[in-house]
C-alpha cells in the first residue's frame, strides 16, 4: 500500500498529492510517469511525476478529475492509501544544454513541465516558461514555475488573470520577439488540442517541438500495445518509447480517436460511481476505503 | 477379456480415458467459470487403475520435470491422495496449474504405453485431481533448509520464476521476486483465461510459495526502479534469475492496424483476465467487443482470445489463420473446445489491411486467400497467397494473436548480458547460466513463447545451478 502523505486542492478539479513511494523516488527522472490503482477493482491509470524528493522517498502527482478513477482519487485524503503505485515508467526527458528552450504548460500540463524545466535550467539552458489555464482559479504552481524557469509568462483563456489568450498566442509572441534562430527547442505539455496547436505553430517556424502524449494505457511496460501511436509513419508504444515524442511527427488525429474509443464505458462508469454517492464499493465509505 | 486370453494375471484394459466432466458448451460460453470440472475420487481411482505401472516408466521421459508418474498414480489407486500429491510436488511446484494447461498429448501422455493401442492414462487429469484435493484440504507445509544467508532476486513471477523461487527457498536462500504487474503469476494471471485456469488456483499456489518464506514485491519493474546490476551491487543480491517471459506483442504491420477495435491478444486478454473487464462495470476496466470478432493466428493464445470473445458477448468469433486445420499450433483439446463452443474458422486466409469508419473504428478487413505450398523450415507446409483472391470480411473487433517476443527492457539495461538476434537472452540450457556471472535466465525470455512446464523446468534447472554457484562462493570466502 502506498500512503498519501499530503493533499492540496488547487481547484475543485485539480489536486496534488504527495505519495510515499521510496522505490520510485530513488530512480525517477523528469518526464517519467507512474501507474496507480486506487482500489482492487480499479483501473490502472498513468500520471506524470510532477515532483519527487529522493531523501523523503516521495512522489508528487497533480491530476485533473475527468472520470471515475481520477474522481475517486480526488476523494482520498492524507493518510489514505493507494492500492498500487508503479514506476518510474517511460523514457526520461532528454536533458542537455541546448541554449534557449521554451517550456509550455497548458492546464494540468504545468505539473509535468515543472521538473523538466527545472532540469533544463540546471543543465544551463535559458528556460522561457509559458503557462496557461482556462481561467484564474485553475492556475497553480506559478511560484514554483518562476523558480524553475529563467523567465515566465502566464496567460488565461478568459483574461481573468495576467493576460487574455491561449498559450499559443504567448508562444507566437515570444518566438517573434526573440527570433526563431535564438530558440533551440520547444517543449509543450497539456491537453492534446493545445499540444497540437503548439506544434502547428512551431512547424511554421521550423522549431523542433517535444510533446508528452497521453494515450490510453493498461500495463505501461510495453506488454499490451494499447498505447500505440503513429509517429513519423511508424507505430510506437507511448509507455516505453515515450511519452515524449517529436510533436511534428505525431499523428494527433489517430491519438484522439484512440483515446475516445471507450467514451461510452467511461461515461457509464462515472454515472454509476456518482449515483452510488461517489463510492462504488457500496459500503458508504465515501470512496475512501 | 484380456484375462481369458492370457492366463498370466494381466490387467483388463479399459481402452478410453475416463471422460472429464465439463460444463455444457451452450451454458459455458455465457460464463467465465472453469470448463473442465475435474475428476471426483472414484473416477480418479478408476483412472489410476488403468495404469500398467510400467517398469521402464516411459511416460516420465515425456515430462520436462520428470514427475514420478507411475509412483503417484499408484498412490492414487491406493487412495493415498496425500502421498500422491507429495510425490508430485517433489518434482513439480505447480501441479494444479500443470494438470490443467500442460499440452499432455505432446508430453507425458504421448509416451504412455497404453497410448500405443488405446488412449493413454489421463496423467494430467490425475495430477490436477491430486492438486485440487490438496487445495481443498489445506496445503501441507513443506520443509525448508536452514538459512544460508544468501539473498537471491527473481525477476518476473511467471511459472518459471515461481518454480525457481520455491526451489531456492527450500534450499534455505532468502528469495525476493520482483514483478512488474500488481499481481504475481505472469501469463497464468494475465494471459490464460479464468475458464481454463481459475485465478484462485494460481493464487493458492502462490500462497504456498509465501509460506516457504518467499518475498514477493509486485509493482516492481526491474530495469526501471533498479537495474540488475544495482540489485546485485547495491541491494546485496548474490544471484539473479531472469524469468521475464515473452510479453512483447507482435503486430501484422498492415495498414489500419492502429484503428480503434484492434487489440493485441495481450491487451485483449489482460483487460479481461487481469483487469476483469468481464465484470465491468463492477470492475472499472472496460473492453469493447462488438458483434463480430476476428482473431488472427492459430495458437493457444488465439483459441483463448476467440473463446473469450464469445463469453464477452460476441455473436460471432472467427479464427483467421494462414494455414489449414492440420497446421494449427494450438493444443488439440483447446481447438475441440473452441469448435464445441461455436468458434468459426477461416483457414488459408490472412488480412492485408484493416478498414475503419470515419471515427477510426474497425469495420472490415481485406483478406487474401492462401494455398499450401512446400514444407518450410518448421516442417509445416508454408502458405502461399493466391493472387487476386482479395475479399472483404466485415468485423467489429480484431485481435492480433500472431505471437510475442521478449520485452527488451531487462537486456537493454543490463551490461554484459548476451541476447540473440531476436532479443532472447542467451542461457545455457543445462544450467541456465547467462553471459553475466551470477545471472541466470530461463522460460519464454530464453526460448521464445513456449509452455508453462518448460518454463518451470528451466526455473528448476537454474535454481539448482544458482545453489551450486552460491555454495561455491561460500567455499571461496
Ligand atoms: C503518460 C501519461 C501521463 C499522464 N499524466 C497526467 C497527469 O499528470 N495529470 C493528469 O491529470 N492526467 C494525466 N494523464 C491522463 C490521465 O491518465 C487520465 O486523465 C486518466 O487516466 C483518466 O482516468 P479516469 O478514470 O478518471 O477517466 P476516464 O473515465 O478513463 O476518462 C474520462 C475522460 O478522460 C479522457 N481520458 C481518458 N484517459 C485519458 C488520457 N490518458 N489522456 C487524456 N484524456 C484521457 C477520456 O477520453 C474521457 O473523456 C496522463 C496520461 C498519460 C498516458
Ligand atoms: C494466452 C496464453 C495461453 C497459453 N496457454 C498455454 C497452455 O495452455 N499451456 C502451456 O503450457 N502454455 C501456455 N501458454 C504459454 C505459457 O503461459 C508460457 O510459456 C509461460 O507462462 C512462460 O513462463 P515464464 O515464467 O517464462 O514467464 P511469464 O509467464 O511470461 O511471466 C513473466 C513475468 O515477468 C514479468 N516481467 C516482465 N518484465 C519484467 C521486469 N522488467 N521486471 C519485473 N517483472 C517483469 C511479467 O509481468 C510476467 O509476470 C500460454 C500463453 C498465453 C499468452
Ligand atoms: S507436469 Fe505436465 S508433462 Fe509432467 S506429468 Fe504433469 S501434466 Fe504431464
Ligand atoms: S506409461 Fe502409462 S501405463 Fe505405463 S506407467 Fe506410465 S502412465 Fe502408467
Ligand atoms: S500501455 Fe501496454 S504497451 Fe504501453
Amino acid at each position: 500500500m502506498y500512503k498519501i502523505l499530503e493533499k492540496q486542492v488547487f481547484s475543485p478539479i485539480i489536486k496534488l498529492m504527495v505519495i510515499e513511494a521510496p522505490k520510485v523516488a530513488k530512480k525517477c527522472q523528469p518526464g517519467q510517469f507512474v501507474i496507480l490503482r486506487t482500489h482492487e477493482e480499479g483501473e490502472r491509470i498513468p500520471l506524470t511525476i510532477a515532483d519527487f524528493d529522493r531523501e523523503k522517498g516521495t512522489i508528487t502527482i497533480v491530476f485533473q478529475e475527468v472520470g471515475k478513477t481520477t474522481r475517486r482519487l480526488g476523494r482520498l485524503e492524507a493518510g489514505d492509501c493507494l492500492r498500487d503505485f508503479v514506476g518510474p515508467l517511460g523514457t526520461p526527458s532528454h536533458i542537455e544544454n541546448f541554449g534557449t528552450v521554451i517550456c509550455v504548460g497548458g492546464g494540468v500540463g504545468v505539473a509535468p513541465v515543472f521538473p523538466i524545466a527545472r532540469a533544463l535550467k540546471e543543465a544551463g539552458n535559458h528556460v522561457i516558461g509559458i503557462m496557461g489555464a482556462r481561467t484564474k482559479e485553475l492556475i497553480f504552481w506559478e511560484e514554483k514555475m518562476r523558480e524553475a524557469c529563467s523567465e515566465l509568462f502566464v496567460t488565461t483563456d478568459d483574461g481573468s488573470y495576467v493576460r487574455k489568450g491561449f498559450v499559443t498566442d504567448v508562444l507566437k509572441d515570444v518566438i517573434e520577439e526573440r527570433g526563431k534562430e535564438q530558440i533551440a527547442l520547444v517543449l509543450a505539455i497539456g491537453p492534446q488540442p493545445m499540444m497540437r496547436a503548439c506544434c502547428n505553430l512551431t512547424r511554421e517556424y521550423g522549431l523542433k517541438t517535444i510533446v508528452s502524449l497521453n494515450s490510453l494505457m493498461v500495463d505501461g511496460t510495453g506488454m499490451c500495445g494499447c498505447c500505440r501511436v503513429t509517429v513519423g509513419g511508424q507505430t510506437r508504444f507511448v509507455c516505453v518509447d515515450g511519452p515524449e515524442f517529436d510533436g511534428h511527427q505525431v499523428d494527433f488525429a489517430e491519438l484522439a480517436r484512440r483515446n475516445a474509443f471507450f467514451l461510452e464505458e467511461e461515461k457509464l462508469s462515472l454515472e454509476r460511481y456518482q449515483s452510488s454517492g461517489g463510492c462504488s464499493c457500496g459500503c458508504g465509505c465515501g470512496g475512501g476505503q | 477379456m484380456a484375462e481369458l486370453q492370457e492366463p498370466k494375471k494381466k490387467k483388463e484394459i479399459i481402452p478410453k480415458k475416463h471422460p472429464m466432466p465439463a460444463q455444457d458448451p451452450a451454458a459455458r460460453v455465457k460464463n467465465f467459470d472453469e470448463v473442465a470440472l475435474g475428476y471426483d475420487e472414484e473416477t480418479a481411482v478408476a483412472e489410476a487403475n488403468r495404469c500398467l505401472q510400467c517398469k521402464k516408466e516411459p511416460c516420465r521421459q515425456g515430462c520436462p520435470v520428470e514427475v514420478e508418474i507411475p509412483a503417484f498414480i499408484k498412490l492414487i489407486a491406493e487412495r493415498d491422495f496425500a502421498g500422491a500429491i507429495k510425490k508430485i510436488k517433489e518434482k513439480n511446484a505447480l501441479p494444479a496449474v500443470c494438470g490443467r494447461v500442460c499440452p499432455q498429448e505432446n508430453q507425458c501422455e504421448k509416451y504412455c504405453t497404453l497410448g500405443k493401442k488405446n488412449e493413454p492414462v489421463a496423467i494430467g487429469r490425475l495430477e490436477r485431481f491430486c492438486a485440487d484435493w490438496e487445495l481443498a484440504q489445506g496445503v501441507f507445509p513443506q520443509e525448508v533448509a536452514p538459512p544460508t544467508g544468501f539473498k537471491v532476486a527473481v525477476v518476473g513471477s511467471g511459472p518459471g520464476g515461481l518454480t525457481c523461487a520455491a526451489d531456492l527457498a527450500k534450499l534455505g536462500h532468502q528469495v525476493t521476486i520482483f514483478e512488474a504487474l500488481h499481481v504475481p503469476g505472469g501469463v497464468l494471471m494475465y494471459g490464460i483465461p479464468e475458464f481454463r485456469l481459475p485465478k484462485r488456483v494460481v493464487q493458492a499456489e502462490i500462497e504456498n510459495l509465501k509460506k516457504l518464506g518467499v518475498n514477493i514485491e509486485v509493482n516492481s519493474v526491474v530495469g526501471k526502479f533498479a537495474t540488475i546490476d544495482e540489485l546485485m551491487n547495491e541491494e546485496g543480491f548474490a544471484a539473479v534469475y531472469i524469468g521475464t517471459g515473452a510479453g512483447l506483442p507482435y503486430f501484422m504491420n498492415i495498414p489500419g492496424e492502429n484503428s480503434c477495435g484492434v487489440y493485441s491478444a495481450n491487451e485483449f486478454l489482460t483487460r479481461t483476465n487481469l483487469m476483469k473487464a468481464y465484470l465491468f462495470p463492477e470492475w472499472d476496466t472496460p473492453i469493447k467487443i462488438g458483434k463480430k470478432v476476428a482473431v488472427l493466428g492459430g495458437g493457444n493464445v488465439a483459441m483463448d482470445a476467440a473463446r473469450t470473445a464469445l463469453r464477452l458477448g460476441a455473436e460471432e468469433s472467427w479464427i483467421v489463420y494462414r494455414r489449414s486445420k492440420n497446421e494449427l499450433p494450438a493444443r488439440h483439446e483447446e481447438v475441440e473446445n473452441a469448435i464445441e463452443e461455436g468458434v468459426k474458422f477461416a483457414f488459408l486466409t490472412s488480412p492485408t489491411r484493416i478498414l475503419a469508419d470515419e471515427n477510426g473504428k474497425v469495420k472490415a478487413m481485406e483478406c487474401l486467400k492462401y494455398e499450401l505450398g512446400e514444407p518450410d523450415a518448421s516442417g509445416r507446409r508454408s502458405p502461399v497467397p493466391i493472387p487476386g483472391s482479395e475479399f472483404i470480411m466485415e468485423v467489429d473487433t480484431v485481435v492480433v494473436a500472431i505471437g510475442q517476443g521478449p520485452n527488451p527492457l531487462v537486456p537493454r539495461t543490463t551490461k554484459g548480458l548476451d541476447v540473440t538476434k531476436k532479443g532472447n537472452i542467451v542461457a545455457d540450457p543445462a544450467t541456465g547460466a547467462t553471459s553475466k556471472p551470477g545471472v541466470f535466465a530461463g522460460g519464454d525470455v530464453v526460448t521464445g513463447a513456449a509452455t508453462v512446464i518448460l518454463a518451470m523446468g528451466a526455473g528448476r534447472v537454474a535454481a539448482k545451478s544458482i545453489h551450486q554457484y552460491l555454495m561455491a562462493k561460500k567455499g571461496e570466502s
Side-chain angles (χ1 to χ4, degrees):
Chain A
M1 295 294 236
Y2 303 82
K3 197 165 182 183
I4 302 168
L5 299 175
E6 188 190 329
K7 178 181 179 183
Q8 286 176 32
V9 178
F10 290 145
S11 80
I13 56 160
I14 301 181
K15 291 165 188 176
L16 170 148
M17 282 177 181
V18 179
I19 314 291
E20 185 178 60
K23 226 153 70 178
V24 187
K26 193 171 170 202
K27 277 297 282 290
C28 67
Q29 299 290 332
Q32 291 188 293
F33 64 95
V34 297
I35 284 193
L36 63 80
R37 272 197 329 156
T38 53
H39 62 297
E40 181 57 26
E41 294 80 18
E43 202 166 2
R44 294 169 65 97
I45 66 157
L47 293 174
T48 311
I49 297 172
D51 205 351
F52 52 89
D53 187 325
R54 298 208 201 285
E55 260 155 47
K56 291 194 186 126
T58 60
I59 295 289
T60 302
I61 51 172
V62 177
F63 58 94
Q64 179 164 0
E65 296 183 9
V66 292
K68 176 171 171 179
T69 309
T70 45
R71 254 175 237 224
R72 185 164 182 140
L73 184 62
R75 293 221 176 183
L76 300 179
E77 298 296 338
D80 291 338
C81 285
L82 302 177
R83 187 78 174 74
D84 297 295
F85 196 82
V86 54
L89 301 172
T91 306
S93 308
H94 179 73
I95 305 289
E96 66 168 70
N97 192 348
F98 298 99
T100 297
V101 180
I102 305 181
C103 290
V104 190
V108 74
V110 169
V113 162
F114 165 76
I116 307 172
R118 180 175 61 187
L120 285 168
K121 191 175 162 198
E122 278 167 9
N125 291 282
H126 180 80
V127 178
I128 304 175
I130 301 174
M131 58 183 275
R134 224 168 54 236
T135 184
K136 183 181 175 189
E137 69 153 349
L138 298 176
I139 294 278
F140 64 91
W141 273 15
E142 186 181 344
E143 278 321 300
K144 267 185 96 142
M145 278 294 278
R146 209 170 287 287
E147 264 173 50
C149 301
S150 314
E151 45 183 321
L152 179 72
F153 299 87
V154 182
T155 183
T156 45
D157 296 1
D158 64 358
S160 55
Y161 188 62
V162 189
R163 68 167 269 181
K164 182 177 161 73
F166 299 121
V167 285
T168 39
D169 299 332
V170 184
L171 179 60
K172 190 170 170 90
D173 290 354
V174 172
I175 299 171
E176 290 287 339
E177 190 191 307
R178 309 288 155 104
K180 64 178 187 202
E181 300 77 21
Q182 303 304 311
I183 298 154
L185 185 72
V186 177
L187 171 87
I189 307 183
Q192 268 169 46
M194 171 233 137
M195 291 194 280
R196 207 172 170 173
C198 286
C199 290
N200 288 341
L201 179 71
T202 56
R203 190 178 284 118
E204 285 171 29
Y205 294 100
L207 270 179
K208 178 156 181 176
T209 303
I210 302 292
V211 293
S212 179
L213 300 183
N214 287 3
S215 60
L216 299 181
M217 290 189 182
V218 182
D219 62 303
T221 67
M223 184 268 271
C224 75
C226 169
C227 62
R228 63 199 191 278
V229 56
T230 304
V231 182
Q234 281 191 318
T235 295
R236 309 295 298 276
F237 287 5
V238 173
C239 69
V240 284
D241 302 324
E244 291 177 12
F245 293 99
D246 177 347
H248 294 158
Q249 307 278 323
V250 170
D251 185 343
F252 280 103
E254 178 189 271
L255 180 62
R257 288 195 300 263
R258 287 187 61 83
N259 275 7
F261 184 47
F262 290 107
L263 226 51
E264 289 162 42
E265 288 78 8
E266 285 157 358
K267 203 164 147 256
L268 173 71
S269 225
L270 182 60
E271 280 164 7
R272 202 171 163 275
Y273 176 62
Q274 284 175 325
S275 67
S276 64
C279 169
S280 65
C281 61
C283 69
C285 67
Q289 259 93 62
Chain B
M1 267 171 19
E3 262 170 68
L4 285 180
Q5 282 159 5
E6 280 172 77
K8 273 187 288 170
K9 256 208 281 166
K10 204 165 180 202
K11 201 165 183 164
E12 181 191 351
I13 294 195
I14 304 169
K16 285 198 182 293
K17 289 180 183 177
H18 287 79
M20 183 62 137
Q23 271 199 77
D24 178 63
R28 74 187 191 226
V29 291
K30 298 204 169 60
N31 67 49
F32 273 84
D33 298 341
E34 193 171 17
V35 167
L37 301 172
Y39 282 164
D40 59 16
E41 289 188 8
E42 294 319 312
T43 317
V45 171
E47 182 66 23
N49 275 317
R50 287 183 67 220
C51 172
L52 305 171
Q53 292 295 318
C54 313
K55 281 266 146 16
K56 287 196 174 152
E57 311 187 327
C59 45
R60 278 188 75 190
Q61 60 170 285
C63 171
V65 295
E66 293 175 10
V67 167
E68 292 184 35
I69 296 167
F72 95 76
I73 293 185
K74 184 156 184 268
L75 289 162
I76 298 179
E78 291 164 359
R79 292 187 170 267
D80 179 2
F81 305 135
I85 184 64
K86 214 166 147 215
K87 191 46 83 198
I88 296 171
K89 280 199 160 170
E90 284 170 12
K91 299 287 180 186
N92 182 347
L94 306 170
V97 174
C98 291
R100 285 174 165 84
V101 305
C102 257
Q104 289 103 6
E105 72 269 27
N106 295 324
Q107 298 182 352
C108 49
E109 295 178 16
K110 183 175 174 180
Y111 295 90
C112 173
T113 315
L114 266 188
K116 297 227 164 69
K117 288 196 186 127
N118 301 290
E119 279 188 11
V121 175
I123 302 170
R125 292 174 187 173
L126 289 175
E127 185 171 300
R128 169 187 164 166
F129 164 79
C130 295
D132 286 358
W133 180 87
E134 187 195 29
L135 288 178
Q137 306 286 310
V139 171
F140 314 125
Q142 285 176 280
E143 276 168 47
V144 175
T148 59
F150 283 112
K151 273 171 72 178
V152 183
V154 170
V155 185
S157 62
L162 295 176
T163 306
C164 187
D167 284 6
L168 287 167
K170 283 190 227 161
L171 291 164
H173 304 295
Q174 191 189 325
V175 185
T176 300
I177 301 183
F178 295 102
E179 168 53 49
L181 293 171
H182 56 263
V183 288
V187 170
L188 308 181
M189 286 304 288
Y190 78 75
I192 304 180
E194 177 78 19
F195 57 83
R196 249 184 352 106
L197 180 62
K199 301 310 150 213
R200 62 173 166 77
V201 171
V202 183
Q203 289 311 311
E205 300 268 29
I206 289 167
E207 283 309 311
N208 289 344
L209 209 66
K210 289 190 187 155
K211 285 194 192 128
L212 291 172
V214 173
N215 174 24
I216 304 182
E217 291 199 25
V218 293
N219 295 323
S220 302
V221 186
V222 172
K224 288 295 181 184
F225 83 93
T227 61
I228 294 212
D229 289 293
E230 284 163 344
L231 290 176
M232 298 181 82
N233 301 332
E234 292 168 26
E235 311 278 336
F237 289 100
V240 178
Y241 175 78
I242 306 174
T244 47
L248 179 75
Y250 289 149
F251 286 92
M252 304 273 298
N253 294 318
I254 55 175
E257 212 169 10
N258 292 349
S259 307
C260 301
V262 181
Y263 303 89
S264 74
N266 277 359
E267 181 186 353
F268 190 75
L269 292 169
T270 301
R271 281 183 182 272
T272 316
N273 297 319
L274 183 71
M275 305 311 296
K276 306 237 185 298
Y278 62 94
L279 298 176
F280 180 86
E282 273 83 43
W283 285 59
D284 290 349
T285 305
I287 196 159
K288 258 195 176 17
I289 191 73
K291 290 197 172 112
K292 188 167 167 186
V293 179
V295 178
L296 314 181
N300 283 324
V301 181
M303 297 306 142
D304 282 345
R307 296 173 67 196
T308 296
L310 287 176
R311 285 164 173 78
L312 288 170
E315 288 170 15
E316 280 179 54
S317 176
W318 285 81
I319 293 273
V320 178
Y321 182 54
R322 279 191 312 159
R323 306 180 203 237
S324 70
K325 188 174 179 189
N326 290 331
E327 286 80 25
L328 279 175
R331 281 180 68 192
H332 179 68
E333 187 181 325
E334 301 310 334
V335 176
E336 288 307 311
N337 276 328
I339 293 171
E340 264 180 35
E341 288 169 12
V343 170
K344 296 179 178 151
F345 292 79
F347 290 118
L348 295 165
T349 303
S350 186
T352 47
R353 61 193 172 113
I354 293 167
L355 308 170
D357 67 13
E358 63 285 359
N359 296 320
K361 243 201 111 299
V362 174
K363 61 173 186 191
M365 296 194 303
E366 183 190 79
C367 299
L368 209 54
K369 284 302 248 176
Y370 282 67
E371 59 193 356
L372 288 180
E374 295 300 308
D376 65 7
S378 70
R380 293 181 302 178
R381 293 179 64 191
S382 57
V384 185
I386 305 172
S389 64
E390 287 88 351
F391 69 100
I392 298 287
M393 181 175 183
E394 283 178 22
V395 290
D396 303 305
T397 300
V398 177
V399 181
V400 185
I402 57 168
Q404 297 98 238
N407 187 316
L409 188 56
V410 169
R412 228 181 251 166
T413 55
T414 313
K415 277 181 246 106
L417 190 66
D418 287 354
V419 294
T420 65
K421 253 194 266 153
K422 283 186 172 169
N424 294 100
I425 295 176
V426 179
D428 180 346
T431 62
T434 67
S435 55
K436 196 176 168 70
V439 178
F440 298 75
D444 283 5
V445 72
V446 170
T447 57
T451 60
V452 171
I453 190 69
L454 282 173
M456 292 180 51
R460 165 142 297 168
V461 165
K464 212 164 142 191
S465 19
I466 289 172
H467 182 65
Q468 280 165 2
Y469 170 81
L470 294 175
M471 290 302 111
K473 228 176 159 179
K474 198 171 184 178
E476 282 164 25
S477 59

